Amino acid sequence: MKPAKSDLPAWKERHLRVAIEGAGVALWAWNVDTDELILDQRSYDLWGVPNTSEVTFEELSAHIHPEDLDRVRAAFAASRAIMGQYEIDFRIQIGEEVRWVSARGQGEDQGMLDRTMYGIFLDVTGRKQAEESNELLAGEMSHRVKNLLAIASGLTSITSRSASSTEDMARQLTNRLTALGRAHDLVRPLPGHGKKDALLGDLISVLLAPYDDLGAFSGRIRVSVPRMAVGEASATTLALVIHELATNSLKYGALSSDAGTLDVSSGSQENDVVVVWTERGGPPVTTPSGQGGFGSKLINRALSMQLGGSISCDWAAEGVVVTLRMNRASLEA
């Protein structure tokens, strides 16, 4: 009997299987009456399920992230009424690991074979992580631009109060903006120039110099920090934290007032480096409500994830006191 035109020679099937495996495609079939799922080995591996027994959709659902579970169940139930192809992305949990899975298939009961729907799973974890990173970067860039505008406005206001003439104001403002540029050069060495350490006191002083009417180590900003190195990898993170604290102070704290002062001191406790940021003479301080804005979350994330540390705030009425605790090894890396 002559084979049907739809039949493929064995060697062509093997080639297609190689193509499927190379693309990272995992195959599944779901019997809508019995709820039984037929999975290939890649699907078992993707879901972290042993290939030892029959698996139902309900059993597989135990691995779906709790925040996505109801949405996935509703989507699969509705897929029988969908005309044409469908796709849904969701998270699954394999122990402590979270993976992103894209399930794709063909809807509509009339397209079934033996009451079974067919489709594929794709591991899209890398793509989702890249999307999350891009969203975080976009949010950070937006936040940085807003802060730069706030810094420019604040520095202009400070300079206008102390300048004796238009020319004097232009000179002072230019000096402050130039100091910000020096800080950028200090914490972001050029590629190919080798490892570059900065001294903790120098780094903090240069970053705070644009906010001081009289410059670093004098006037209303005082930095008293023991001599210790800050590695290239951690310098940018610390600069981000100091920049965020200074911006908040310029907006709401001691640096927003002519009489305000800022003292930055540091010491060591076993394996940690502790930096204490003390503001005095600014507007009355009240404890903020809520979880804080993007800047607060950014500081907490930077300290915990990149410097192995933490931040605590004492909202004293006379001025906030911020304590930064950082792992010494992470700071010197």
Side-chain angles (χ1 to χ4, degrees), residues 94-130:
I94 312 299
E96 297 296 324
E97 181 185 2
V98 176
R99 299 174 183 171
W100 275 95
V101 173
S102 179
R104 305 177 185 182
Q106 180 75 29
E108 185 188 8
D109 276 3
Q110 294 180 357
M112 292 184 186
L113 298 175
D114 300 325
R115 303 296 295 161
T116 301
M117 298 179 66
Y118 299 87
I120 65 170
F121 293 128
L122 290 175
D123 186 344
V124 294
T125 305
R127 172 168 63 84
K128 287 294 184 178
Q129 290 176 342

Side-chain angles (χ1 to χ4, degrees), residues 30-191:
W30 177 38
N31 188 299
V32 298
D33 294 329
T34 66
D35 196 38
E36 179 184 353
L37 278 164
I38 300 174
L39 309 175
D40 68 356
Q41 187 58 50
R42 186 178 291 273
S43 288
Y44 281 109
D45 295 339
L46 175 61
W47 285 80
V49 177
N51 186 2
T52 56
S53 60
E54 295 181 351
V55 180
T56 64
F57 177 75
E58 187 64 27
E59 292 169 342
L60 208 63
S61 296
H63 294 270
I64 299 176
H65 194 285
E67 295 180 5
D68 296 344
L69 181 57
D70 290 342
R71 178 173 60 87
V72 174
R73 282 178 171 169
F76 267 78
S79 64
R80 297 179 58 180
I82 295 175
M83 301 292 290
Q85 297 179 340
Y86 66 88
E87 176 181 348
I88 181 172
D89 294 351
F90 53 91
R91 291 165 292 178
I92 63 175
Q93 293 180 305
I94 312 299
E96 297 296 324
E97 181 185 2
V98 176
R99 299 174 183 171
W100 275 95
V101 173
S102 179
R104 305 177 185 182
Q106 180 75 29
E108 185 188 8
D109 276 3
Q110 294 180 357
M112 292 184 186
L113 298 175
D114 300 325
R115 303 296 295 161
T116 301
M117 298 179 66
Y118 299 87
I120 65 170
F121 293 128
L122 290 175
D123 186 344
V124 294
T125 305
R127 172 168 63 84
K128 287 294 184 178
Q129 290 176 342
E131 291 175 356
E132 291 173 355
S133 297
N134 288 338
E135 290 175 2
L136 178 63
L137 179 60
E140 182 177 335
M141 289 296 293
S142 175
H143 184 71
R144 295 274 71 76
V145 169
K146 292 178 181 177
N147 270 350
L148 286 173
L149 293 175
I151 289 172
S153 176
L155 291 180
T156 302
S157 177
I158 290 172
T159 306
S160 66
R161 293 197 296 267
S162 60
S164 57
S165 65
T166 303
E167 293 76 10
D168 186 36
M169 177 179 173
R171 179 184 57 79
Q172 291 187 40
L173 186 57
T174 299
N175 288 340
R176 291 190 171 102
L177 294 177
T178 300
L180 282 178
R182 290 199 303 268
H184 177 84
D185 292 337
L186 181 65
V187 300
R188 291 188 182 273
L190 295 174

